[in-house]
Amino acid sequence: MNCIKGLRGLRSPLLALALVLALCAIAPTASAQTCSAAMTPLNIPSVSPVRGVSYTGSATLTVTCTWGLLNLAPNAQVCVNLGTGSTSTGQNPRTLGNGSNRLQYRIAANVGYSPLWGSTATSTTPISVVLQQPLLGTVASTNVTINAQTLPSQLTVPTVNNEATTYTESFAGVATIAYSYYLLGTAPACSTLTPQGTFTPTITASVINDCLISATAMNFGSTGLITAERRTTSQLTVQCTNNAAYRIALNGGANGTVAARNMQLSGGTASQRVPYQLYTDAAYSIPWGDGTAGTSMVTGLGTGTAQTVTVYGRVAAQAGGPTPGSYSDQVQATIYF
């Protein structure tokens, strides 16, 4: 109707109608040319700070562009920016957060983490892709693998409430997409493009409770007749996730029980043994076992760094002398966390 109103001055209604149809036939259909970005959730699983190593995770960034039905610019330069998130003070490294706790990490569109994923707003490097309109169709997209990696040697990163703890970072308003359609030649530089939209990546890491344990040998020394008790100590080295509670149990060894341990004569018979006991305290009053038969376990709270736990050993005085030789036992320490 608007086309007909524009031709009221013509003398012939038939000619007016024909011109209206011709003019309306060549009018282009309006269709916006836009690009967008979306990313699958990126999680770095099972991060154990006490191991002192890096942990990785990945996600897929999808960039999509749409062309109008009639256009003279079949190429699209797309720049995807990741600014400084809510728990970071910079971009190398970035930090995931849980309350006031922080976990450092890096993120990039390559496994070498060079360059890191950044933003033109902070003079760092965005992800840059070029899409071309397909011969048949108006939509093109591409996928980019995003890699994230925690930094090593973050020994004191804690868990909360003695359970696996999620660390995360928000990118509201700082994860942006800028794009430009062009005909031929070199794609425009990302630094010349203004962001035209946002998206919301989700980046998390799960920090777990974990413990490492090792021991030194306990040696009662050399003796003849055991007319007086003999005491000695050894050490366990324990390294547990910061804020993780732990318990350490000692079993009954290879030749006895937690209530009655024995060292066996090398190459000897079952009767050629020396009784002994292990304790949790310097007073040698609390037998160290697995919590059964009147024994106790040692408990503690991890700091992320190595802690030393003393094992107290005692051989009681005996009426008869043991057969000369070397006596030993092997006790297994188990840490629960």
Side-chain angles (χ1 to χ4, degrees):
M1 293 299 292
N2 289 337
C3 292
I4 294 174
K5 289 180 180 179
L7 297 172
R8 284 181 178 176
L10 297 176
R11 295 180 180 179
S12 170
L14 293 176
L15 177 59
L17 179 59
L19 290 173
V20 167
L21 292 175
L23 290 172
C24 289
I26 65 172
T29 301
S31 179
Q33 296 187 138
T34 60
C35 295
S36 62
M39 195 174 98
T40 58
L42 194 161
N43 179 56
I44 305 174
S46 303
V47 176
S48 172
V50 297
R51 302 279 171 170
V53 299
S54 294
Y55 293 85
T56 61
S58 63
T60 299
L61 173 69
T62 300
V63 178
T64 303
C65 289
T66 302
W67 282 259
L69 293 177
L70 295 175
N71 68 84
L72 297 176
N75 302 303
Q77 165 70 71
V78 185
C79 303
V80 186
N81 297 284
L82 189 67
T84 303
S86 60
T87 53
S88 292
T89 56
Q91 295 181 329
N92 186 21
R94 297 175 182 271
T95 54
L96 299 165
N98 181 285
S100 61
N101 302 318
R102 295 292 182 266
L103 175 67
Q104 296 180 331
Y105 75 105
R106 302 185 300 167
I107 188 167
N110 58 83
V111 294
Y113 296 92
S114 180
L116 297 173
W117 186 9
S119 170
T120 55
T122 56
S123 299
T124 51
T125 308
I127 292 173
S128 174
V129 298
V130 172
L131 294 178
Q132 294 181 328
Q133 182 182 8
L135 294 177
L136 299 175
T138 59
V139 178
S141 64
T142 189
N143 292 330
V144 179
T145 299
I146 303 299
N147 300 288
Q149 176 190 65
T150 63
L151 271 61
S153 303
Q154 299 183 75
L155 301 179
T156 59
V157 172
T159 54
V160 178
N161 297 326
N162 205 41
E163 59 186 14
T165 301
T166 298
Y167 283 68
T168 188
E169 183 167 34
S170 171
F171 293 91
V174 297
T176 65
I177 181 170
Y179 54 90
S180 176
Y181 289 83
Y182 64 100
L183 178 58
L184 296 172
T186 304
C190 289
S191 59
T192 66
L193 303 181
T194 300
Q196 296 162 268
T198 63
F199 68 108
T200 308
T202 300
I203 302 175
T204 59
S206 177
V207 175
I208 61 171
N209 287 337
D210 191 14
C211 289
L212 306 174
I213 186 170
S214 61
T216 62
M218 177 176 285
N219 190 345
F220 287 99
S222 300
T223 184
L225 296 176
I226 306 177
T227 56
E229 70 174 17
R230 298 183 68 87
R231 294 182 176 186
T232 190
T233 62
S234 65
Q235 279 74 43
L236 299 177
T237 299
V238 176
Q239 188 173 359
C240 290
T241 303
N242 191 6
N243 210 38
Y246 63 84
R247 297 175 297 156
I248 304 173
L250 301 180
N251 73 357
N255 311 296
T257 67
V258 292
R261 294 185 168 95
N262 294 283
M263 288 180 281
Q264 174 72 50
L265 175 65
S266 177
T269 66
S271 62
Q272 295 174 307
R273 294 175 173 176
V274 172
Y276 75 100
Q277 187 54 284
L278 302 175
Y279 299 88
T280 67
D281 62 319
Y284 294 82
S285 62
I286 306 172
W288 190 343
D290 58 7
T292 66
T295 65
S296 297
M297 290 184 279
V298 167
T299 62
L301 190 68
T303 63
T305 57
Q307 297 172 287
T308 299
V309 180
T310 300
V311 184
Y312 299 89
R314 175 176 177 270
V315 174
Q318 299 176 38
T323 302
S326 177
Y327 291 77
S328 65
D329 191 19
Q330 189 171 54
V331 176
Q332 178 175 288
T334 303
I335 189 163
Y336 300 92
F337 51 88

